[in-house]
Amino acid sequence: MSRPSIVPEGGQTVVYSIVEDHEIRLDYYLPPNANGALPTIVYYHGGGMTAGSRRDGQFPRWLYDHCQKRGYIFTSADYRLCHPCMALDQIDDAKALLKFLTGQEFAKALPESVSVDTTHIAVTGFSAGAYSARAACVYAEPKPAALLTGFGTGGNWLLDHWTKGRPPTSVAKFVDLDRVPEILADKRVVSDDFVEGKMGTGRFALTVRWELDGTFLDGNLGRPGLGAQLNALEYSQRAAALPEEVKPAFVQLFVTKDYPPSVFVHGTADEVVPAQESVDQYEQLKELGRTGLMGFTKLAPGSPKAVEGFG
């Protein structure tokens, strides 16, 4: 007997961007008795940059339920997955999504009595989905009003964690590394890795392979040897050594004092995304004049609890 889907009924699917005939979609859910200009929450799924879907088994039903109760529009967005696309493409998708939500095309899709309050759009992403959320806070227009990340990446891609190989994590056992050559040989653009009842199509094997080999940055940026090049340098020298064409993908280098109020949730036992990413962004925003609280606790992977906040 298959497990019932946690994705709620009642969502509407729209195409928010078309890139060379490839359609990228989002689902939106209106609250009961929707009327007027409503705050909107954007959710980006995880999946190691290479896998996942707006409607997969990690769908945050709790956040959807919150939006239903508070009268917010909830959206769950796909984005182009790494290989053959790259992290810079995901940045472009984040920019396209915010432009779409505040534009006439989405306005026409909504009931006549409903609109988006364009000054109250919050972005959230878990694990790899935090990369797109953080990118929106740096590059999108309009800039999101708030950010929430859960055990999320994109806070600091210059850490040793991303520049050197490491032992397999507890999630590595769920992938078939023998499929990596087959996946790499397939050059079709993918932005929705959903398969009913399964953990996607197996694309997460790319992420595991790159983590084992210390080529996470190489694979996500299309720059063979980049991880090894950075790893040979002291941490303080790495940002200056980045090739100019990939530097925008290191979003932490472009955070400014107008970054939106943020909340980071992370567990220190996270094997896949180091808690240091959230710590580093907290410290970065603090230096830019933000205030807030930070706390972490040691938790099992996938069970984050500690919260940092910014006013």
Side-chain angles (χ1 to χ4, degrees):
M1 184 176 180
S2 61
R3 185 175 63 178
S5 173
I6 62 172
V7 179
E9 297 181 356
Q12 301 294 316
T13 302
V14 293
V15 175
Y16 74 83
S17 182
I18 301 176
V19 182
E20 296 181 354
D21 296 327
H22 180 81
E23 297 181 340
I24 312 171
R25 295 177 169 82
L26 67 82
D27 294 339
Y28 70 90
Y29 303 82
L30 298 179
N33 305 314
N35 186 59
L38 303 180
T40 300
I41 304 295
V42 176
Y43 161 70
Y44 290 105
H45 66 81
M49 307 291 290
T50 63
S53 166
R54 69 187 189 279
R55 51 199 169 124
D56 64 21
Q58 303 303 313
F59 185 94
R61 187 61 184 254
W62 61 271
L63 185 55
Y64 160 83
D65 290 341
H66 177 76
C67 291
Q68 290 283 292
K69 293 176 182 177
R70 296 297 299 269
Y72 301 164
I73 300 172
F74 179 82
T75 69
S76 181
D78 284 333
Y79 49 87
R80 283 174 289 172
L81 302 174
C82 286
H83 185 77
C85 296
M86 301 296 162
L88 289 170
D89 297 312
Q90 295 183 7
I91 291 175
D92 286 343
D93 294 344
K95 292 162 61 178
L97 179 54
L98 267 292
K99 182 177 180 180
F100 173 81
L101 289 177
T102 57
Q104 288 300 310
E105 191 172 351
F106 189 50
K108 292 177 182 178
L110 296 172
E112 289 187 5
S113 62
V114 178
S115 62
V116 172
D117 181 347
T118 58
T119 64
H120 288 82
I121 299 175
V123 291
T124 181
F126 303 153
S127 195
Y131 183 86
S132 290
R134 283 175 159 128
C137 293
V138 170
Y139 296 113
E141 292 291 342
K143 192 178 290 291
L147 166 71
L148 165 66
T149 69
F151 39 99
T153 193
N156 189 348
W157 267 14
L158 293 175
L159 296 172
D160 287 356
H161 187 84
W162 303 120
T163 63
K164 62 172 59 177
R166 54 188 186 275
T169 64
S170 58
V171 297
K173 61 187 176 183
F174 296 110
V175 305
D176 181 2
L177 292 177
D178 290 338
R179 288 200 57 212
V180 168
E182 169 195 341
I183 299 169
L184 290 174
D186 189 346
K187 304 299 184 182
R188 290 175 295 180
V189 175
V190 179
S191 59
D192 185 354
D193 188 42
F194 180 74
V195 178
E196 187 72 48
K198 296 184 179 181
M199 293 180 61
T201 61
R203 290 178 56 88
F204 193 73
L206 292 179
T207 299
V208 173
R209 181 74 274 164
W210 295 341
E211 290 174 339
L212 292 171
D213 295 345
T215 56
F216 178 84
L217 298 177
D218 307 34
N220 285 312
L221 297 172
R223 296 284 302 204
L226 179 61
Q229 174 191 344
L230 296 176
N231 196 57
L233 300 173
E234 295 293 332
Y235 173 80
S236 61
Q237 300 174 316
R238 291 174 183 173
L242 289 170
E244 286 299 319
E245 60 269 27
V246 301
K247 188 173 288 186
F250 293 78
V251 292
Q252 77 268 20
L253 302 179
F254 300 91
V255 170
T256 57
K257 62 182 180 180
D258 62 346
Y259 202 83
S262 302
V263 175
F264 309 125
V265 181
H266 220 128
T268 56
D270 193 336
E271 302 171 280
V272 180
V273 179
Q276 191 65 42
E277 290 215 52
S278 291
V279 173
D280 285 353
Q281 188 166 19
Y282 170 86
E283 295 295 342
Q284 182 180 33
L285 293 177
K286 187 176 178 180
E287 289 179 6
L288 290 171
R290 296 294 193 180
T291 60
L293 299 174
M294 177 177 68
F296 283 91
T297 185
K298 186 172 183 179
L299 300 164
S303 303
K305 184 178 180 182
V307 176
E308 315 156 33
F310 292 92

